[in-house]
């Protein structure tokens, strides 16, 4: 009865986590990663219900197979992190195939002595994906990495448990007692269910936070690369005497009001269109960096007259009435422009000057561009 009570607690936690992830993560902030993580929680919930059903009807085959979905759910954490970072392939189909096969084999071998080996191998595969997920989390930006610490810790604990399970299997192999049926692993199941409770809660905290922040765009991942490339271009332009370089700071007007007036999903579409407008208007040789969804820096190699034409086109394009039904308003942007020669090709001075010009354009009413003024 005690074991059934632990499983029922696991069912309650898994169900709650699934509802929260879908309701607060996927629905208001839909995306590839959020859908994968929501599916992972749903798999964990399914696994828990199957465990309860197996206990009630006394089926070792069903109980053995029930461990497959929750192990697959652990792998879905890693897959979702890869999808969020834009890695291809994300390994979704191979993971589904491997753990589906493991689920079937676990069910079929539940009452045979081969079950212990099959379970340990499946557990080790899930632990490997947990370790890979921890590695992906450690590569996040500082703020996101700090919020990911609960999941990083529990993922590393999962790997440690898998090592202990593997060592136990090796000891049994050396003693000639490797053969175990599903019923022989009852003590290990109790420990696994406690670990599963911790994993579900920590995963919910971290993945809900990441889902609500949205996907990592290439620009957000390449902050260092952008500024490194920009400094190199400006240094070479200064040596060559090339005067036609400018840094442009583009900011979406009234971003706070837009966010308040729209749902999270609608605001994401607005900012996505804002970024697409900039990419469409700017020439291919321009370097573009998204400081945030509502602010973009552009290093542009163009003469002054060409810059003015591009900025006019950009303001017109952004100002086209949005087709977003949730926010039927005309968007606008404020732009600051800083010419490289006036700042001695210093990227930091250019960034600060362009930012001040953009802020002044916003204060002046927005929907305009202003040129940075440098003190003599």
């Amino acid at each position: 009865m005690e074991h059934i009570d632990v499983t029922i607690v696991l069912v309650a936690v898994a169900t709650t986590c699934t509802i929260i992830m879908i309701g607060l993560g996927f629905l208001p902030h839909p995306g590839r990663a959020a859908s994968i993580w929501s599916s992972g929680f749903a798999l964990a919930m399914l696994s828990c219900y199957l465990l309860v059903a197996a206990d009630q009807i006394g089926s070792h085959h069903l109980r053995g197979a029930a461990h497959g979905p929750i192990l697959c759910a652990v792998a879905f954490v890693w897959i979702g992190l890869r999808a969020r970072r834009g890695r291809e392939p994300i390994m979704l189909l191979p993971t589904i195939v491997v753990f589906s096969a493991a689920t079937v084999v676990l069910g079929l071998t539940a009452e045979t002595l081969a079950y212990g080996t099959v379970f340990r191998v499946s557990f080790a595969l899930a632990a490997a994906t947990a370790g890979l997920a921890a590695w992906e989390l450690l590569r996040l930006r500082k703020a996101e990495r700090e919020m990911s610490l609960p999941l990083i810790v529990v993922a590393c604990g999962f790997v440690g448990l898998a090592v202990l399970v593997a060592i136990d299997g090796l000891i049994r192999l050396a003693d000639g007692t490797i053969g175990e049926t599903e019923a022989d692993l009852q003590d290990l199941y109790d420990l696994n269910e406690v670990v599963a409770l911790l994993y579900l809660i920590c995963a919910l905290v971290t993945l809900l936070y990441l889902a609500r922040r949205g996907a990592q765009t290439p620009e957000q991942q390449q902050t260092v690369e952008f500024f490194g490339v920009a400094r190199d271009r400006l240094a070479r332009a200064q040596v060559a005497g090339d005067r036609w370089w400018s840094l442009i700071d583009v900011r979406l007007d009234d971003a706070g009001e837009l966010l308040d007036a729209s749902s999270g999903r609608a605001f994401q579409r607005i900012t996505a269109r804002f970024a697409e407008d900039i990419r469409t208007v700017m020439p291919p040789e321009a370097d573009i960096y998204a400081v945030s969804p509502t602010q973009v820096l552009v290093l542009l190699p163009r003469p002054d007259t060409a810059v003015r034409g591009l900025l006019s086109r950009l303001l017109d394009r952004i100002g086209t009435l949005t087709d977003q039904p949730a926010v039927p308003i005309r968007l606008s942007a404020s732009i600051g422009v800083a010419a490289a020669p006036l700042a001695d090709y210093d990227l930091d001075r250019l960034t600060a000057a362009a930012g001040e010009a953009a802020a002044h354009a916003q204060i002046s009413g927005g929907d305009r561009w202003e040129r940075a003024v440098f003190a003599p």
Side-chain angles (χ1 to χ4, degrees):
M1 184 65 183
E2 179 183 352
H3 172 69
I4 294 177
D5 289 342
V6 174
T7 306
I8 290 175
V9 172
L10 185 58
V11 167
V13 171
T15 303
T16 303
C17 290
T18 302
I19 293 172
I20 292 175
M21 187 65 199
I22 294 175
L24 299 181
F26 174 69
L27 292 180
H29 303 278
R32 195 180 185 188
S35 65
I36 292 171
W37 291 329
S38 298
S39 300
F41 279 103
L43 282 173
M45 181 179 68
L46 171 64
S47 185
C48 295
Y49 280 105
L50 291 176
L51 288 173
V52 171
D55 285 333
Q56 295 301 312
I57 66 177
S59 172
H60 291 293
H61 290 290
L62 180 58
R63 183 167 185 82
H67 291 90
I70 199 167
L71 294 176
C72 185
V74 174
F76 270 35
V77 174
W78 169 59
I79 293 170
L81 290 169
R82 285 178 62 85
R84 184 175 186 268
R85 194 156 64 91
R87 293 293 304 274
E88 292 292 346
I90 61 172
M91 307 300 290
L92 178 59
L93 184 58
T95 299
I96 292 174
V97 171
V98 168
F99 283 96
S100 295
T103 300
V104 173
V105 176
L106 285 168
L108 294 176
T109 61
E111 294 185 346
T112 71
L113 295 179
Y115 180 83
T117 301
V118 174
F119 180 81
R120 283 180 168 80
V121 171
S122 302
F123 197 82
L125 289 174
T129 63
L132 292 171
W135 173 246
E136 291 285 346
L137 292 168
L138 288 170
R139 299 177 63 178
L140 296 175
R141 289 169 293 170
K142 183 178 179 181
E144 294 179 341
R145 187 168 61 249
E146 290 174 350
M147 283 298 297
S148 302
L149 283 177
L151 185 52
I152 293 173
V153 171
V154 76
C156 292
F158 191 103
V159 174
L161 178 60
V163 172
L164 293 178
V165 170
I167 292 174
D168 177 69
L170 292 175
I171 292 174
R172 288 178 176 276
L173 179 61
D175 293 341
T177 58
I178 186 61
E180 296 167 287
T181 65
E182 189 276 332
D184 295 331
L185 296 178
Q186 193 63 60
D187 293 338
L188 179 59
Y189 287 158
D190 293 337
L191 178 60
N192 285 349
E193 290 184 357
V194 173
V195 172
L197 284 170
L198 295 174
Y199 201 96
L200 284 169
I201 294 171
C202 293
L204 177 66
V205 172
T206 296
L207 300 182
L208 183 61
Y209 170 78
L210 294 178
R212 293 180 68 86
R213 283 185 65 89
Q216 285 184 297
T217 63
E219 292 81 12
Q220 289 174 324
Q221 297 177 54
Q222 296 173 0
T223 305
V224 176
E225 288 82 351
F226 170 82
F227 285 100
V229 169
R231 285 192 173 89
D232 179 67
R233 292 191 192 281
L234 291 172
R236 289 188 286 115
Q238 185 176 26
V239 171
D242 186 351
R243 300 179 54 84
W244 307 124
W245 286 82
S246 300
L247 186 72
I248 301 170
D249 188 324
V250 188
R251 302 184 182 187
L252 186 65
D253 290 333
D254 303 317
E257 289 79 356
L258 286 170
L259 179 59
D260 292 337
S262 62
S263 66
R265 184 176 182 179
F267 187 71
Q268 283 185 341
R269 287 200 290 263
I270 289 172
T271 54
R273 180 197 150 181
F274 170 69
E276 183 60 28
D277 287 342
I278 295 173
R279 289 189 169 277
T280 300
V281 172
M282 292 298 158
E285 60 269 27
D287 294 297
I288 301 174
Y289 167 63
V291 178
S292 73
T294 60
Q295 180 185 5
V296 175
L297 296 178
V298 182
L299 183 63
L300 182 63
R302 280 290 189 275
D304 186 59
T305 53
V307 171
R308 289 199 297 267
L310 287 170
L311 297 185
S312 297
R313 284 177 53 202
L314 179 58
L315 289 175
D316 288 342
R317 185 178 180 90
I318 293 174
T320 303
L321 186 65
T322 175
D323 57 359
Q324 169 52 251
V327 190
I329 60 174
R330 179 179 178 273
L331 302 179
S332 65
S334 296
I335 304 174
V337 184
L342 299 180
D344 295 325
Y345 298 86
D346 186 306
L347 182 60
D348 294 330
R349 289 184 61 193
L350 281 172
T351 303
E356 290 178 5
H360 189 268
Q362 285 187 319
I363 294 172
S364 302
D367 196 19
R368 68 187 67 197
W369 64 274
E370 293 198 10
R371 192 174 296 280
V373 178
F374 293 88

